[in-house]
Amino acid sequence: QHIPWKGWGAAKRVGILFDAYSFREDLEPLRALVAHWKLEQRAVSICGWTGQMRPKNVLYNGRQLVFIDDFTWKGQPESGNALEFIQTEFDLLICLHRSSGSPLDDLAAKTRAGLRVCAAGEQDFYDLCLIPDSNDYIAYGKDLSEWLIKITPTPIEIIDEPI
């Protein structure tokens, strides 16, 4: 589910997946990164796995959480933020946390993206693995930017048309 990589200078849509259940304290630093990248004219969507059923009659500020009932019993995204996330096309997709029982890798694999980055574990289907030193995600974003600038954009094929 790759789309052409435009290069970091032209990348506008960034998706970030994280484990909101095990790393609850990461939400605020991630919001700081979102604000930082907005200043660079990038649209950032963060999506956190809760590991829980969606509580009834609760409103959430923003679309940032994924619940167990966003998936079918076979694990396919069918509603809510999980479905919305995989239907979005990202220039860059970052998966910050990987663990067994979490659907984050599956969501990352099913989402159309120009480049996929993981922050832990094996690269698998990811294009780059860059591990953060802490949950200072602005510093992580700057480190990541230095690598992304070096990755050559996907060449645009020139189609010869008869004159």
Side-chain angles (χ1 to χ4, degrees):
Q1 295 274 6
H2 269 80
I3 60 173
W5 169 244
K6 300 174 184 178
W8 184 232
K12 297 296 178 204
R13 299 236 355 113
V14 178
I16 301 174
L17 294 164
F18 74 105
D19 185 336
Y21 179 75
S22 299
F23 300 92
R24 293 172 194 211
E25 68 281 357
D26 284 11
L27 184 57
E28 287 309 313
L30 282 171
R31 286 182 175 153
L33 177 62
V34 169
H36 175 77
W37 275 345
K38 276 186 179 179
L39 294 175
E40 295 181 4
Q41 308 303 313
R42 300 185 202 281
V44 183
S45 299
I46 59 175
C47 196
W49 167 244
T50 63
Q52 301 172 357
M53 296 293 280
R54 182 181 306 277
K56 301 298 179 211
N57 303 320
V58 175
L59 297 176
Y60 288 92
N61 185 14
R63 297 185 172 138
Q64 301 171 332
L65 299 174
V66 174
F67 297 91
I68 291 172
D69 44 333
D70 287 344
F71 299 87
T72 66
W73 65 275
K74 290 184 175 184
Q76 297 297 315
E78 72 170 345
S79 64
N81 302 333
L83 186 61
E84 183 178 328
F85 194 86
I86 67 166
Q87 290 176 340
T88 304
E89 195 171 271
F90 295 104
D91 298 314
L92 175 68
L93 179 75
I94 303 167
C95 185
L96 291 173
H97 307 115
R98 302 175 74 189
S99 60
S100 63
S102 160
L104 297 180
D105 281 340
D106 195 44
L107 288 173
K110 290 179 178 172
T111 303
R112 291 176 47 86
L115 202 67
R116 288 181 180 77
V117 175
C118 65
E122 298 295 320
Q123 276 188 248
D124 304 22
F125 59 90
Y126 292 96
D127 302 298
L128 176 68
C129 184
L130 183 66
I131 302 169
D133 292 330
S134 66
N135 70 346
D136 180 354
Y137 290 117
I138 291 179
Y140 178 75
K142 289 178 181 177
D143 291 344
L144 182 59
S145 294
E146 290 179 18
W147 282 101
L148 295 174
I149 288 169
K150 298 174 185 179
I151 300 173
T152 306
T154 306
I156 299 172
E157 295 180 10
I158 300 172
I159 301 172
D160 291 329
E161 294 183 24
I163 299 177

